[in-house]
Amino acid sequence: MTPWYTYREKIYDAWRGKETLSLVSFDVKGTYNNVAKEPELYRLRKRGIPEKLVRWIDNCCTGRRASVVVNRYKTHEEELPHSGLPQGSPLSTMVFLFFNADLLEQAISNGDTMAFVDDYTAWVVGANAEAITEVIQQAILPRLKEWEESSGAVFEASKTVFVHYTRAKRQGSVCDRVLTFKREDIAPTGVAKILRVIMDSALIFRQHLARASKRAVAAAQAVRRMRNTRAGTTRQLSTAWYSPWCITPQ
């Protein structure tokens, strides 16, 4: 996975060349749940994954059942015919990489793409934001629509983020043209979250620093509350805090 600061440097490179970098980031709805099994198995075979392993993954995604437990009351188990990939399984993260690999490998002129779990991001570098917006609208968005139709996955237009990283706004020439995706307008905004880092259009990182400071204060206060607890209790609380919470599907 490419570090977030690599993308910061790409923005600086664009600025040094007196160009603009425009970024659009999408969120995949119900990431693992909406993975269609047949396209997934096809892409695994296409990548040369051994047939024995493909059949094993097929078995993991077949015949799954679930029930709900509330106050010691358990409902009857029901079949999950279209359950996608198992939630909470390390296998799901690796298998999902094969699911969207074809989309990531499609070349973008004067740009690139990246993905991390349910986030897909594409960016283009150009002379001005107006021209880049046209490229994204005519070249990138139709590609995403085609991938949706062939994969069964769904991008949530309402969670899409569109940002122009430009210094032209200092001259009063900000582009406010919106993108249109699945009949929804996506207006440019001033901030995007890339790999959990909040990157504002000026790369000042004021919002990210404020968020990090708030979380640090909360963590310090939590540690302070444990100062008078017994060593065994402190250890138990620390273990519970850092242990990953996951659900093992039936």
Side-chain angles (χ1 to χ4, degrees), residues 22-23 128-139 141 162-164 173-180 184-189:
S22 297
L23 175 150
N128 57 75
E130 182 72 29
I132 298 174
T133 302
E134 181 68 17
V135 172
I136 294 175
Q137 182 67 62
Q138 300 300 327
L141 299 189
F162 179 38
V163 183
H164 296 301
S173 55
V174 179
C175 173
D176 57 1
R177 177 182 170 183
V178 301
L179 296 172
T180 301
E184 291 193 36
D185 290 339
I186 304 169
T189 184

Side-chain angles (χ1 to χ4, degrees), residues 165-227:
Y165 291 95
T166 179
R167 288 182 169 173
K169 58 187 176 182
R170 297 179 178 179
Q171 304 169 9
S173 55
V174 179
C175 173
D176 57 1
R177 177 182 170 183
V178 301
L179 296 172
T180 301
F181 185 61
K182 297 196 293 189
R183 299 182 180 180
E184 291 193 36
D185 290 339
I186 304 169
T189 184
V191 63
K193 182 184 289 187
I194 306 298
L195 301 179
R196 298 186 180 182
V197 176
I198 302 175
M199 299 177 63
D200 56 276
S201 59
L203 294 187
I204 299 176
F205 298 101
R206 183 178 292 114
Q207 294 183 33
H208 181 77
L209 292 173
R211 177 172 173 267
S213 298
K214 183 178 180 180
R215 296 181 65 181
V217 170
Q221 291 175 342
V223 172
R224 184 179 181 182
R225 295 189 190 101
M226 295 191 298
R227 64 180 178 178

Side-chain angles (χ1 to χ4, degrees), residues 45-200:
R45 293 187 174 101
K46 181 181 176 182
R47 298 279 171 172
I49 301 300
E51 184 61 26
K52 185 176 181 179
L53 184 55
V54 173
R55 291 198 301 268
W56 179 68
I57 294 173
D58 184 9
N59 184 64
C60 289
C61 300
T62 303
R64 295 174 58 204
R65 304 168 64 87
S67 62
V68 178
V69 179
V70 179
N71 294 332
R72 298 183 179 180
Y73 174 78
K74 182 179 180 180
T75 65
H76 295 291
E77 289 189 354
E78 299 289 343
E79 294 284 348
L80 300 175
H82 304 291
S83 55
L85 299 175
Q87 291 281 354
S89 171
L91 173 68
S92 298
T93 302
M94 293 183 286
V95 173
F96 189 78
L97 295 176
F98 290 92
F99 186 69
N100 65 359
D102 291 344
L103 178 62
L104 289 172
E105 289 184 348
Q106 297 182 25
I108 295 180
S109 179
N110 296 323
D112 207 344
T113 62
M114 61 161 285
F116 180 68
V117 191
D118 59 347
D119 294 326
Y120 170 83
T121 302
W123 66 90
V124 178
V125 176
N128 57 75
E130 182 72 29
I132 298 174
T133 302
E134 181 68 17
V135 172
I136 294 175
Q137 182 67 62
Q138 300 300 327
I140 296 178
L141 299 189
R143 180 185 305 176
L144 298 181
K145 193 68 173 65
E146 292 176 2
W147 187 81
E148 275 190 331
E149 294 172 354
S150 64
S151 301
V154 177
F155 288 111
E156 292 193 79
S158 60
K159 293 185 178 181
T160 300
V161 177
F162 179 38
V163 183
H164 296 301
Y165 291 95
T166 179
R167 288 182 169 173
K169 58 187 176 182
R170 297 179 178 179
Q171 304 169 9
S173 55
V174 179
C175 173
D176 57 1
R177 177 182 170 183
V178 301
L179 296 172
T180 301
F181 185 61
K182 297 196 293 189
R183 299 182 180 180
E184 291 193 36
D185 290 339
I186 304 169
T189 184
V191 63
K193 182 184 289 187
I194 306 298
L195 301 179
R196 298 186 180 182
V197 176
I198 302 175
M199 299 177 63
D200 56 276

